[in-house]
Amino acid sequence: MKTSERTISFGSEHAEPDYLCSPADEQRSAQQVRRLFDRNHTLVAGIVPGPPGRGRRAAAFDLTTGRAVGPPPADEFTSPRAPSESAPMFAPDTDTLWYQDADKRVLSRAPRSPAAPRERGRSSANAFLLSGESVWSPAATVEMVSPGGDVAVAYEYRRGMRLVRNGQHINDAVRIGARDILDEERMPGDEKIPTHCSPRFWIDNASFVCADTGALIRVTLAPDRASVVPLLPANDRTNTDAFGSRPRAARTARAPSTPSAGCSSSPAPPGSFVATRAC
């Protein structure tokens, strides 16, 4: 059921919220999509041409007007090098924009502030992820860091998932699924995971959900074995995505001072997951 819809024009093919609905990124995890938006879903991270029309600069777009907001850092107007910024995202539950420059420095700034960006560290790859406000590297096609920041799950097209530690090369990581690929260390007990099941969100520090067009699976990690539980019955639908909601304290609907007939209060449902189609 569609609950709401908003159409926004971003004005130029050279200024857009990168990575949001690109066909190449149809496997992007729910965790990554959420981090394209600020805390209150009023801004979306993207890319604009660098001044004066040279290179690429990380930016944020107002979701009411579709316009990029905030001035670029002052030194970009005078720098002899064209800026080459990438991987824009918001730190979880904040309004701070993070991104990476050509030297793989990870920077952050408030989009609407003229203050210079703050250097946060370096990435060993062409992209990065965040665990809280800690830089996580490397990044693969799809990767999401566990809530405790211990490991991440990465996805390689046609090659299944990997369990990666911070700084570990993807080729050295333990494989999950893709049983037809031999001679590599893999997680025991993963026989029921389809090759194209890509990670969507973490449930807790030891379990996550992966999704394929015909499967939604909960994978629980243990030191010596993986527990695999299918969450959807066999079906002929195209189930292309899944996202998680945080467990919340039960909320009660407040009745008016003079309750009308039939007015009652009931708790909201606890945290759950929903299957949905991608953009």
Side-chain angles (χ1 to χ4, degrees):
M1 179 176 65
K2 182 183 294 185
T3 57
S4 64
E5 181 179 88
R6 180 186 298 178
T7 301
I8 302 164
S9 172
F10 292 98
S12 169
E13 62 181 9
H14 302 296
E16 59 187 12
D18 261 7
Y19 321 116
L20 187 57
C21 291
S22 168
D25 287 332
E26 62 182 10
Q27 299 294 336
R28 182 169 294 273
S29 74
Q31 184 186 76
Q32 289 172 299
V33 171
R34 177 63 186 93
R35 293 189 179 175
L36 293 176
F37 297 89
D38 68 344
R39 175 170 39 196
N40 295 318
H41 290 88
T42 59
L43 300 174
V44 61
I47 295 291
V48 296
R54 300 182 305 133
R56 293 160 49 90
R57 181 174 64 84
F61 294 84
D62 188 307
L63 286 174
T64 301
T65 65
R67 296 176 181 173
V69 301
D75 62 350
E76 286 196 8
F77 286 110
T78 56
S79 173
R81 294 175 60 190
S84 180
E85 298 172 352
S86 60
M89 72 180 76
F90 287 92
D93 298 316
T94 74
D95 302 319
T96 305
L97 184 69
W98 292 57
Y99 53 96
Q100 182 174 288
D101 68 7
D103 298 319
K104 297 183 180 179
R105 295 183 304 163
V106 177
L107 308 168
S108 72
R109 64 184 175 91
R112 300 181 190 275
S113 169
R118 176 182 172 186
E119 185 169 345
R120 299 286 194 151
R122 290 182 180 268
S123 172
S124 63
N126 292 324
F128 69 96
L129 291 172
L130 293 174
S131 174
E133 292 194 344
S134 298
V135 176
W136 238 88
S137 179
T141 306
V142 166
E143 191 168 312
M144 56 184 195
V145 184
S146 64
D150 304 320
V151 294
V153 180
Y155 173 77
E156 299 175 284
Y157 182 64
R158 296 184 184 275
R159 296 177 62 85
M161 295 178 286
R162 299 267 198 166
L163 194 62
V164 189
R165 299 195 178 278
N166 198 358
Q168 184 180 31
H169 193 279
I170 187 71
N171 292 336
D172 298 326
V174 174
R175 187 177 296 283
I176 306 175
R179 305 297 298 185
D180 55 329
I181 299 176
L182 306 176
D183 302 325
E184 291 188 359
E185 183 182 2
R186 65 176 61 254
M187 177 68 69
D190 65 349
E191 297 86 355
K192 297 180 180 179
I193 300 177
T195 297
H196 298 291
C197 202
S198 61
R200 313 317 293 166
F201 62 91
W202 286 90
I203 297 173
D204 53 42
N205 208 38
S207 59
F208 65 90
V209 167
C210 73
D212 192 4
T213 54
L216 192 63
I217 294 173
R218 176 175 178 152
V219 181
T220 301
L221 307 172
D224 57 349
R225 193 164 186 82
S227 168
V228 177
V229 179
L231 298 176
L232 281 182
N235 66 87
D236 59 358
R237 298 178 181 179
T238 301
N239 309 296
T240 56
D241 203 0
F243 63 92
S245 67
R246 294 180 181 173
R248 295 174 296 177
R251 294 186 298 181
T252 303
R254 293 184 179 274
S257 331
T258 308
S260 58
C263 182
S264 62
S265 61
S266 59
S272 58
F273 60 83
V274 180
T276 181
R277 281 193 65 85
C279 295

